[in-house]
Amino acid sequence: MFLWGALKAAQRGLDVDLELAYVGGLFHDLGLTESYASKDLRFEIDGAEAARLFLLEHGRSEAEARNVWLAIALHTTPEVNEHLSPEVAAVALGVKTDVLGVGLDELSDEQRAEVVAAHPRPDFKSRILRAFYDGMAHRPETTFGTMNDDVLAHFDPEFQRTDFVDLIKGSAWPE
């Protein structure tokens, strides 16, 4: 994911702190793992907080740590992240390319081949979907407002999405 983001950011002429973008890439899905998964926060926030603490413990500034926190916390939020700092954009670009294949045609055949040779993708689609599900199934309420509820609905036919319209209609405000 980091390599895709670095390549895409370079194409766009973004001045990215590659070390910060690397930490963003390294930690962006950490909240899906049992060791870092909370019970009531979105997995993105779990990974973002782990990265923030890591960076602070390793001498990076609060502003740099916050920047990576944003990159990770927003990596499943389409469009917004590409209008923030270069590191936030690089993480988002990398995730979109890695998981969804968005903009693969912007990269040369040689670039794609080099990245895949270094990081093969055996059964990637099935494995990433299962990893998403396994990392979120115990906290389904955290998927509201994100594409993550699509994953839960795919694997669990009993999953009930929270409906935004129903929330408004059922709010405590009188008509």
Side-chain angles (χ1 to χ4, degrees):
M1 178 248 108
F2 164 74
L3 294 174
W4 301 124
L7 288 168
K8 297 292 254 335
Q11 284 182 329
R12 288 164 172 73
L14 299 177
D15 184 21
V16 177
D17 180 324
L18 291 176
E19 188 172 84
L20 291 178
Y22 182 77
V23 172
L26 192 63
F27 284 74
H28 82 282
D29 281 344
L30 194 63
L32 293 170
T33 66
E34 194 173 321
S35 298
Y36 288 88
S38 66
K39 293 182 179 165
D40 57 354
L41 296 175
R42 289 174 47 164
F43 83 88
E44 300 93 333
I45 293 175
D46 291 333
E49 191 57 24
R52 186 184 75 79
L53 293 172
F54 174 85
L55 287 167
L56 292 174
E57 290 169 2
H58 288 85
R60 287 300 196 131
S61 72
E62 182 63 45
E64 291 168 322
R66 178 69 173 167
N67 196 26
V68 173
W69 190 96
L70 285 170
I72 297 169
L74 294 174
H75 84 271
T76 59
T77 305
E79 296 183 35
V80 172
N81 34 32
E82 290 182 48
H83 296 277
L84 298 174
S85 74
E87 295 76 26
V88 175
V91 170
L93 290 165
V95 168
K96 286 179 9 180
T97 302
D98 190 40
V99 177
L100 303 173
V102 173
L104 268 176
D105 59 336
E106 297 172 14
L107 301 169
S108 70
D109 291 342
E110 181 179 271
Q111 288 173 314
R112 290 192 308 266
E114 284 183 39
V115 173
V116 172
H119 300 282
R121 304 169 58 85
D123 197 27
F124 179 81
K125 293 176 184 180
S126 296
R127 292 174 67 199
I128 193 67
L129 286 171
R130 176 51 69 179
F132 288 148
Y133 178 74
D134 290 345
M136 294 182 291
H138 70 283
R139 49 183 166 177
E141 66 285 346
T142 68
T143 66
F144 172 67
T146 72
M147 61 196 86
N148 298 331
D149 63 359
D150 293 339
V151 174
L152 295 186
H154 173 79
F155 285 98
D156 180 359
E158 311 237 342
F159 173 68
Q160 296 293 314
R161 297 172 196 250
T162 301
D163 186 301
F164 183 68
V165 173
D166 289 344
L167 288 176
I168 293 171
K169 290 175 123 186
S171 76
W173 289 106
E175 281 297 320

